[in-house]
Amino acid sequence: MQTINPWYQFYLRGRKVAFTCFLILSLGFSSHAQNNPTDNLINYEDQWIHYGFLIGVHSSKYVIKYSDYFTSPAMDTVHSIIPGNLGGFKLGFVINMKLGTYVDFRLLPTVGFYENDLSYRFTNGITQRELKDATMVELPMLIKYKSARRGNLAMYMLAGVNPSLEASGKSDEQDIGEKLELRNWDISIDVGVGLDMYFAYFKFSPEIRYSYGLRNMLTDDPNDFSVGLERLTRQNLGIFMTFEGGPSGKRKLGGKTKGAGKIKARQKKRLKQ
């Protein structure tokens, strides 16, 4: 009997629900910002580099292309090979560098925990599931294009490349030939959208990012699990929450936080002039 994975239900419906929640959250914060006249972190962009961390959940699946061998008499007992959607999570750091007024470069060292599977359906009604666990060390390098701030909110888009390497373990060396064998590194194209929310001491950014793998992950030594496939790539849809610290001092306009006195002094000086 196969083990029931609680992440298995994180399918396409989950994507739609997550996207709807993201829009509702954005509208809610937008409404809150319009009723709040205080602008937080008004000197945030004066600092050219910021650091932070990210957490996220994701849904990933394989994208496959059948080989010519799949239609041969040798595989006439296999009805189809179906990739499934499974969930996981990611943890990482944020290094954001300012390139221009509305353009940033983001480096996101991340560790991702993945599960992917293929279901081999046979003509006699039996289904065999091949589950693959992977811990990937990723290094997304993204260009971020952001809008002008409206109060404490700013929208942004981002795109770039994401090289990744699978962390090896003892289990990787076992049962060779008795499971689906894949390459241990990949590179993908990442695109996404997000919303910057400026608070008194940090910036919080919910983000949706899609990743499409470019490399064929099948090895040069096919076995019973891969012989019916010509190409196998990865795709991933993630929802992230990033937290980035504000510049030291000059935290908030209109409050008693550090640096507020200097800001008010400059404002009075301008009025006298």
Side-chain angles (χ1 to χ4, degrees), residues 102-231:
Y102 301 110
V103 181
D104 293 344
F105 173 74
R106 291 171 73 81
L107 190 64
L108 309 173
T110 306
V111 177
F113 301 91
Y114 290 83
E115 283 188 343
N116 293 283
D117 72 345
L118 290 176
S119 295
Y120 296 80
R121 298 180 179 179
F122 296 89
T123 55
N124 59 3
I126 297 176
T127 299
Q128 182 175 352
R129 184 183 178 215
E130 177 67 6
L131 179 65
K132 297 287 292 182
D133 298 322
T135 301
M136 306 294 293
V137 179
E138 305 175 353
L139 191 64
M141 294 173 282
L142 308 174
I143 297 296
K144 175 181 177 180
Y145 179 74
K146 55 192 176 182
S147 68
R149 280 185 60 169
R150 293 186 179 273
N152 291 319
L153 297 176
M155 298 292 295
Y156 66 86
M157 300 181 295
L158 46 80
V161 296
N162 180 9
S164 59
L165 177 67
E166 183 177 359
S168 60
K170 293 181 179 180
S171 60
D172 297 332
E173 301 176 357
Q174 300 174 355
D175 301 328
I176 301 298
E178 299 179 7
K179 62 180 183 179
L180 180 66
E181 291 297 322
L182 302 177
R183 303 182 191 275
N184 64 353
W185 69 271
D186 193 11
I187 186 168
S188 62
I189 296 294
D190 285 18
V191 294
V193 295
L195 180 68
D196 285 335
M197 304 177 183
Y198 295 84
F199 292 89
Y201 297 99
F202 64 92
K203 184 179 71 172
F204 168 67
S205 303
E207 174 183 307
I208 295 178
R209 198 187 323 150
Y210 174 75
S211 179
Y212 187 84
L214 300 178
R215 192 181 191 214
N216 185 2
M217 299 301 293
L218 296 175
T219 65
D220 296 329
D221 299 320
N223 57 19
D224 292 341
F225 289 95
S226 60
V227 69
L229 302 175
E230 179 180 333
R231 183 174 177 83

Side-chain angles (χ1 to χ4, degrees), residues 62-70 81-83 118 212 216-218 225-234:
Y62 293 139
V63 178
I64 64 171
K65 179 181 178 181
Y66 291 111
S67 66
D68 294 336
Y69 188 78
F70 182 78
I81 304 174
I82 308 298
L118 290 176
Y212 187 84
N216 185 2
M217 299 301 293
L218 296 175
F225 289 95
S226 60
V227 69
L229 302 175
E230 179 180 333
R231 183 174 177 83
L232 182 148
T233 57
R234 292 187 174 118

